[in-house]
Amino acid sequence: PKKIALIAIPALLVMLTLYNIIFGNHDTKLNVQKERIIVSTVERSDFQEFIPVTGTVIPIQTVYIDALEGGRVEEIFVEAGNMVKADDTILRLENTNLLLDISRQQASMLDQKNSLRNTQLQMEKQKLELFSTLADLDYLINRTQRIYTQNETLLQNKIISRQEYEESKDDYEYNVRKRELAILTAKQDSIMKAIQVEQLAQSLKRVEANLKIAKKRISNLTIIAPVSGQLTSLNAEYVGEITSPGERIGQIDILDGFKIRAGIDEHYLSRILTELQGEFDFGGETYRLAIKKIFPEIINGRFNVDLKFVDDIPTDIRRGQTVHIRLELGDLSEAVTLARGGFYQKTGGQWIFVVDPSDDFATKREIRLGRKNTEFFEVLSGLEPGDRVVTSSYETFGEAERLILN
């Protein structure tokens, strides 16, 4: 027995050592106090994906006022911050170059009118001269025709010579051709004058149209309120300032209602659609919003959306206030959920410590997470309802693979 014991005891120790090497748990362990961690239970519950966004209250409509014409500020009638009504005069500009341009166009219009009037008078004068010429030619034609007819009879009776007859015939035919030429010349002159009158009339119309536009530009020097509301800004603050054409002078906010403008991370651009809804808390009440307009331009990694109130508008809400919105990205559905916590910063949602039913230790387990909101993650695999997991920060756990809970 003594020899057997001397052989069996070392053999047993060797076997235990080999068993521990082959089948033992070699995970890196870390002792953790239970009161210093947060343990959450995996549940099956209703889940809705939403993201938190921060929005700013702005008026339902803002109308910008631009200077259509540049000029010097001559007089300011309304200061920024005051309420205005539609067609109220806000300020008046002065532009001497525009006044000189109008004067030149007025002079040009007068010249065109005088040219047109003179051309028309010349046409009337030519008509009268033609009538006088035709009257003289008709007289000569009748006279030479009578002599020519008489000489033809006299020639047959051999009272006059043939030469005298031919001369009377030439006189008659010459006057007839001269009348035809006078009529043809008058027609050509009439056509040319008509074309000239038409050109002058068209030119006059253009000058009058340009003058009308110029006079309208003069009216643009008086800046009036296009709508009723609050003049929230006015860039022209002092008399004597110079404004450029197209420069933004101010804006009017219509205070009949409000909307929310929110900035969203560009990561969600493809998932943001009009009519998506969200909600926020204000004054102890929850108010619903819906996206009405999306601005796809990315600025500093974010894009903007406009949200309008679905039902009621808070009575005490004011322009410029900040609200925190829960923007819904999907419909309500049932899912396996896990409370959000600091563990995600270390693991990226790829693994988590699962607490053993004995509550004595927690082991590392691979998981896969899906959608998320401000409170929960959707669990796609690795966890089942009822599992208890450590959701607090893992920053102090190092590379430990097993937590010993004390």
Side-chain angles (χ1 to χ4, degrees):
K2 188 180 290 187
K3 290 182 178 180
I4 293 173
L6 290 174
I7 297 172
I9 290 173
L12 182 60
L13 291 174
V14 172
M15 291 178 65
L16 289 174
T17 301
L18 290 174
Y19 180 83
N20 186 51
I21 292 174
I22 298 173
F23 300 104
N25 190 333
H26 304 286
D27 293 344
T28 304
K29 301 178 179 63
L30 179 69
N31 292 322
V32 178
Q33 296 180 1
K34 293 180 181 180
E35 61 270 15
R36 307 189 76 172
I37 62 173
I38 298 174
V39 177
S40 303
T41 303
V42 178
E43 298 178 349
R44 182 178 294 277
S45 60
D46 290 335
F47 177 85
Q48 186 169 48
E49 184 182 13
F50 60 83
I51 57 174
V53 297
T54 301
T56 303
V57 179
I58 62 175
I60 192 70
Q61 184 179 357
T62 297
V63 178
Y64 295 104
I65 305 172
D66 296 334
L68 298 179
E69 298 293 335
R72 173 183 173 275
V73 177
E74 185 177 9
E75 190 172 3
I76 299 174
F77 297 94
V78 183
E79 299 293 337
N82 293 329
M83 302 298 294
V84 294
K85 294 182 179 179
D87 298 328
D88 282 353
T89 301
I90 297 176
L91 58 85
R92 185 168 60 247
L93 303 174
E94 183 183 40
N95 190 326
T96 54
N97 291 331
L98 182 58
L99 294 175
L100 291 174
D101 185 43
I102 291 176
S103 298
R104 287 192 293 268
Q105 292 189 28
Q106 287 176 334
S108 176
M109 183 182 68
L110 291 176
D111 290 341
Q112 294 290 339
K113 283 184 176 181
N114 290 333
S115 297
L116 179 61
R117 189 179 298 110
N118 290 335
T119 303
Q120 290 173 336
L121 290 174
Q122 288 178 4
M123 289 181 67
E124 293 297 325
K125 183 179 178 180
Q126 286 179 350
K127 284 183 180 179
L128 294 176
E129 290 176 351
L130 175 62
F131 291 153
S132 176
T133 301
L134 291 178
D136 292 340
L137 290 173
D138 287 339
Y139 170 76
L140 291 175
I141 289 172
N142 291 333
R143 181 180 176 185
T144 54
Q145 183 181 17
R146 185 171 58 255
I147 294 173
Y148 164 63
T149 303
Q150 291 175 354
N151 287 345
E152 187 176 15
T153 303
L154 295 174
L155 178 63
Q156 291 176 356
N157 296 325
K158 299 181 179 181
I159 298 175
I160 61 174
S161 65
R162 176 166 290 278
Q163 180 179 355
E164 189 175 354
Y165 165 75
E166 294 293 341
E167 289 177 355
S168 63
K169 180 181 179 182
D170 291 340
D171 290 341
Y172 167 69
E173 291 177 350
Y174 168 74
N175 288 323
V176 170
R177 288 194 300 271
K178 190 175 180 180
R179 187 179 189 280
E180 292 175 352
L181 181 61
I183 292 175
L184 182 60
T185 302
K187 284 183 179 181
Q188 294 295 328
D189 289 343
S190 178
I191 292 173
M192 295 298 295
K193 292 295 182 182
I195 293 174
Q196 187 177 358
V197 167
E198 179 66 22
Q199 290 175 345
L200 289 171
Q202 292 295 331
S203 179
L204 180 61
K205 285 182 179 180
R206 287 193 296 270
V207 172
E208 289 176 342
N210 292 336
L211 183 60
K212 187 177 180 180
I213 293 173
K215 288 182 177 179
K216 187 176 180 180
R217 292 176 62 190
I218 286 290
S219 66
N220 291 335
L221 293 175
T222 301
I223 309 299
I224 63 173
V227 294
S228 299
Q230 184 182 28
L231 183 65
T232 52
S233 68
L234 185 64
N235 296 331
E237 299 180 359
Y238 306 103
V239 173
E241 285 188 48
I242 303 298
T243 62
S244 302
E247 180 180 345
R248 180 148 296 168
I249 290 181
Q251 70 178 50
I252 297 175
D253 291 336
I254 299 175
L255 303 180
D256 296 340
F258 295 97
K259 60 184 178 181
I260 308 295
R261 178 158 294 175
I264 303 176
D265 191 280
E266 61 180 329
H267 172 75
Y268 297 100
L269 179 59
S270 61
R271 301 186 61 188
I272 300 301
L273 305 172
T274 56
E275 302 304 328
L276 277 182
Q277 295 196 2
E279 61 184 17
F280 73 98
D281 299 324
F282 185 85
E285 299 288 338
T286 300
Y287 296 90
R288 300 287 296 175
L289 300 165
I291 294 178
K292 295 299 181 182
K293 188 175 183 180
I294 300 171
F295 301 90
E297 182 182 6
I298 305 296
I299 301 176
N300 297 326
R302 303 180 71 81
F303 66 97
N304 291 329
V305 298
D306 280 350
L307 301 99
K308 293 187 178 180
F309 290 90
V310 174
D311 297 315
D312 298 330
I313 300 177
T315 55
D316 297 332
I317 202 165
R318 293 292 181 267
R319 182 182 188 273
Q321 283 185 310
T322 300
V323 295
H324 301 285
I325 305 167
R326 298 179 293 275
L327 185 62
E328 301 165 358
L329 297 183
D331 296 329
L332 189 66
S333 60
E334 190 178 69
V336 178
T337 59
L338 169 64
R340 296 188 65 163
F343 76 95
Y344 190 82
Q345 279 69 31
K346 182 68 178 291
T347 70
Q350 297 180 352
W351 56 273
I352 199 168
F353 281 113
V354 181
V355 178
D356 188 75
S358 66
D359 210 28
D360 294 332
F361 61 91
T363 55
K364 187 176 179 180
R365 184 187 298 180
E366 291 187 358
I367 62 172
R368 189 161 63 94
L369 303 180
R371 299 173 297 170
K372 61 183 178 180
N373 56 34
T374 56
E375 298 177 355
F376 299 100
F377 289 108
E378 178 189 26
V379 180
L380 300 179
S381 65
L383 296 174
E384 296 295 334
D387 288 342
R388 298 170 63 243
V389 296
V390 179
T391 55
S392 53
S393 175
Y394 290 3
E395 291 299 326
T396 60
F397 294 170
E399 301 299 327
E401 297 182 348
R402 178 184 290 258
L403 304 178
I404 306 301
L405 305 180
N406 299 321

